[in-house]
Amino acid sequence: MAEPRSQVSASVSQKSLGFSASEGPAAEMDPVEYTLRKRLPRKLPKRRNDVYINMKTDFKAQLARCQKLLDGGAGHREICIHGLGLAINRAINIALQLQAFSQGALQLAANTSTVELIDDLEPEDPDEAGEPLTRTRNNSAIHIKVFYPSA
Amino acid sequence: MRMGSLLSLVPNKVFPIKPTYTMSGAKDRMRHKKMRNQPSNVTYSHTGRSSDSQQQQQMRGLTQHPSSWMRGHQDGGVRHEQALPKYITASLFAKARAAEVNAMLRAVTKTTGSSQVFGALPKHMRRRAMSHNTKRLPCRLREMAQRMLEKSQQAGKKEKKKQSKTKSRRARRRHGNLLLEFNRRQRKNKWLETHIWHAKRFHMLKKWGYCLGDRPTYKCYRASYRAMNSGCLLQDLSYYCCVELRGPEEQLLNALSRLTSKDAGPTFAAASCVSGQKEGSVMLYKADQYPHQPLGPVCFLWRPCSTTSPHRQLWIWLHPSLKQDLLPELQAVCQCFEAVAPAVVEVVPSENLAEASPIPPAPSDLSSEPQCSKRKRKVEADDENGCPAKKIVGDGTRSLSTPVSWMSSTTEIVISDLTMEIVRYRLIGPLSHSVLTEILVPATDCENNIKMTSSPFWWPEECKKEESMSLHRQQTDVFQLLRGVYSTAELPAGCVLGLTVDDPRLSLPAKRGKAMPDLHRTQGVDEEGRRNLTLRGVPSPCAQSALWEKSVRENVTNNKISEQDLNRMKRELLVPGSRLLTPAQSRVPILLVNQAGKQLGEERLGWGSGWDLLLPKGWGMAFWVPLVYCGVRVGGLQMSLKHCQNKSVPHFPHDYPDCPAGVRFQEQQEIELLEKFKRHPPSKRTNYIKYGCVAPFRCPWQQLVEEWEERVNQDSKTVEMKDVTSLSGDSPNPASAFTVLRSRKVLRQLSVWCRPSSSHPRRAPSGCRAPPLCPIVTISLQAEWKRCLLWVRVCALSKGQPALHAMLCVPTTEDLQRLREDPQWSGPQEPQHTDHLKHQLKRKGKRGEAALCCSALKKEQDCNIPENDDVSSASEKEKNPELVPINQHSGPSLVLRDPLPEPSAAVTTDPGNSRVESLSITGCSNSDLVQGLWTELLPNMLSHCTRMTLGWVVQGDFSLATGTGEALGFVSLAGLLQTLLRQSADQRGIVLLRNPTSLQYRFARLHIEA
């Protein structure tokens, strides 16, 4: 997935954070330095014709992989291309390229969704702060079904 | 007369030579062999003439000095022909000849010792396997062959007799005797509970007082990586030692805070850890010594607060090689010096319980009675024979009699050593929780009728308490939620779940399969609960487990149903293959501890996460086999090293060169590598001197940091900022040893500096907080952290597979320029060095062979021709040849050095160093000079090669995760800062990598992960 997976040191005051759940003593605490660590997005079981697009792998390689799934020995009638966050753009791009190469044989069906992501906030001074906090945030995702129409 | 002269020639032909000739040993032996069966009486009895008597004497001399024999006709023989006798006495002569003929006949009939009987056979009569079956020989030789066969068989038997076993195999394999034998074999290195399983499948190593599996005998390196990456890998970590601390919370925290520092990350007092919700890990130092004198990393786990006791319980898990350093330190900090006698408690309860158990625990359970009586009989039998049954107590790091528990007179802290008391398995991989949910079944409730009666087992007692049952239900619910989790990395790192489970052997699947996350079951799980679990982790009361209680652990261990009984119970089932009713004693308290995956850095986050499974001792195999049946792969020490390498975490004790255990490991490793090196024939050994590799087997970290410090001081002196230098550099403490930088703040700052600025433009906010890289900041940093090493990860840019102890070097500006022009450029080359120690070695070799002779010759020459100038000068040169080549060598290296401003002092110190070294070499050359290796005193290693050395690689391999060479190592902090300052922003963090056995430098990117 396309999450920039680095933790970013950021000074955040607790009030500014949108907590998923109400943290009791959080309100009266001083702004503490936190380290933000992003957890990986939740993984779901993957079929053979699911392709998750990321920003690390070469674009061409990902395109070739999709192409291979469609017309290779695997011979899937349809594949599903998933993209999250920054990779939405690339997922769309790949789907359109596939369609263009197929000379109109392929059809697309796009779906969007929202994925809940979890961040851990680790206090710099772990002894003083309370328990490490987690917060959730949402990110957009796209799921494009690329298929041969069953005519 | 004619005949006489002819005959007299015979002895001349046989012994034609004078005895003064010298000859080699081999010839000598050959002659001896040939002459062994020759008649000794081939002599002239005639003593008429002086010449004859002379001859006779000569011949006697010959037999006494066998070294004087030589083949071929010699000049000496001529003399005898001239001295032919003029007359002979017939009777004497005939007698002598008769004796000769007799001897000759005897020699012909006698076989020589070495030849086989078939030696006498012509080739066409030889048959296959004649020595085996004498009947294949012709009759006349059979007897002799039979005799020889018997002789050889007897000789073979004698050899075997020495190690013969008194008992038959059947007796030896009997259970009791087998256990005795096992106990004997464990005297030096203890076995884990899974030892026999491992020993059948693994290459075993004897390490740290244990026998541990290193790697499987079958090929599975890649498969194991895949298991870690996408499946599940299992390891037995029971060799880790557990130390229990018990006492009031404040006292414990106060005592332990002296060993740690907040600067290096969360300590024992971290809020989430103190509540018992999470397992923490921490780096320990000697009391109040941070950042110096580190001891090593440990994991710790607090027992969740219980209402019954005001005291807290803390388990510290440590590596066995750390124990000898840490345990005294812990005692000192907690002031626990009073050893509690190792109570007989360890052994007694097993017998007591066994004797107490004849009360049938579960009347419904038909099979329990015979089993109990059986055990009793066994105990009695053991007592009668006086042979100790296999004790599960014991561990590799202490003897049984030494105290395992210490208490304090001033504080209320009690330290006890729980080594080998708790079994610890580690499951690595995203599917490890699926494996756990597959094999573990939360304990079923007890039948009501048992609840009424009192029971010797712990679980029925536990069932009577309402609160413990509600806790159990809560834990069961959480455990069921795990099924809904797809990957182990989704859970918060380090969370702990206590659980009581049924004996996994009862629900062992009939067939070995592979655990996969099940879609259908996933849908059944309550979504809200799962979300809460991944967000907040296991609620802290659920981390409670009966495993913390010593009494429960002992109860469970001693009442384990043996494999044999279990099989019998299975056999007696009415429906074969159906599940057994759970016997009352087969509930086991366990702890599940989540292990975080890769947390630092940018790549592969969450890689290698998993679960640790903590069990009471004795139950190891009961859980191991079901785990293996779930299709996990089993790894050994090699895989735990690779696991750490892929997580880019230092592995203890390999990657802790500043800890005492790490130092010991390095020494051990050096010895092993040197041994291996010396096993090659000299001509096949790598000449590391020619490769410019100063220390191929051991990294001299101390020398590296000192040299870098010196250089930096000189640099700053020559450039500017005299005030800062006086502050930082002029008060070097020569005694201070190097340390590894573990301050999180500094590491984070450095990791930002190491990144090339252009690649992450989005990271602006994080960059602006840290001060930008500039000389003033670095100097203050260096002043604060003197003699520090940095743990770095190095990724090869294109080609190159780093090996152990590969050098990390500073690229010159030309190198970087060329790399910018041609990104595919493979890198610069190191010119081959000259091996100036070779002369030393050669001379040594000569001296060894003919030292006396040579020296005598030399003296003679010197005395005889003192006027010959060139000879004497040559011998002068020979006396100390190492002086010249070193200077020759250091010359070009100085010229070729990188364009960093060269401090003049370094140039002057260099030859000085080498001179000192050469002197020392002449001093110690006789003891340990190995070709291709530097002796004890190393040259200035910073500028030994054309690129300056920054540090060395301690773990390097082709990384299956990234598909390139990847290495982990240490660099000098001062050196790295210097390098970074000189590099342009877009090429920051590029270093050169060179293997010890190669001259090719490779470009690599350096990462500091914090």
Side-chain angles (χ1 to χ4, degrees), chain B residues 5 15 33 66 117 120 163 356 557 691 699 792 967 1001 1007:
Chain B
S5 70
F15 315 110
K33 203 168 152 190
V117 191
Q163 48 176 7
T557 302
Y691 282 111
C699 307
V792 295
Y1001 288 97
H1007 301 270

Side-chain angles (χ1 to χ4, degrees), chain A residues 2-11 20-23 33-35 37-47 56 86 116-120 122-136, chain B residues 262 265-272 277-278 430 484-487 489-493 517 519 522 527 530-531 533-536 599-607 744-745 748 755 762-763 765-766 769 1010:
Chain A
E3 269 312 290
R5 285 164 188 172
S6 77
Q7 97 286 346
V8 183
S9 284
S11 173
S20 62
S22 63
E23 301 287 339
E33 284 204 356
Y34 283 99
T35 311
R37 286 191 203 289
K38 294 174 180 174
R39 263 193 238 163
L40 290 186
R42 186 161 182 245
K43 271 197 178 161
L44 285 172
K46 208 179 127 193
R47 290 165 299 176
K56 263 190 202 140
L86 188 64
E116 196 171 64
L117 299 172
I118 300 173
D119 294 340
D120 284 322
E122 280 187 7
E124 289 285 282
D125 194 345
D127 305 3
E128 282 167 21
E131 48 193 75
L133 305 163
T134 47
R135 63 172 185 187
T136 53
Chain B
K262 276 185 198 174
T267 61
F268 285 106
S272 59
Q277 208 181 348
K278 280 190 177 182
V485 175
Y486 184 75
S487 162
E490 283 172 43
L491 296 162
L519 270 176
T522 311
E527 192 62 21
R530 187 199 59 75
R531 188 162 167 274
L533 179 68
T534 49
L535 211 58
R536 250 181 255 124
Q599 286 184 306
L600 306 172
E602 300 184 3
E603 290 144 22
R604 304 200 292 276
L605 275 187
W607 191 93
R744 292 218 303 182
K745 241 176 215 162
R748 203 164 293 148
R755 279 181 210 145
R762 285 181 292 129
R763 293 287 141 63
S766 63
R769 197 172 62 98

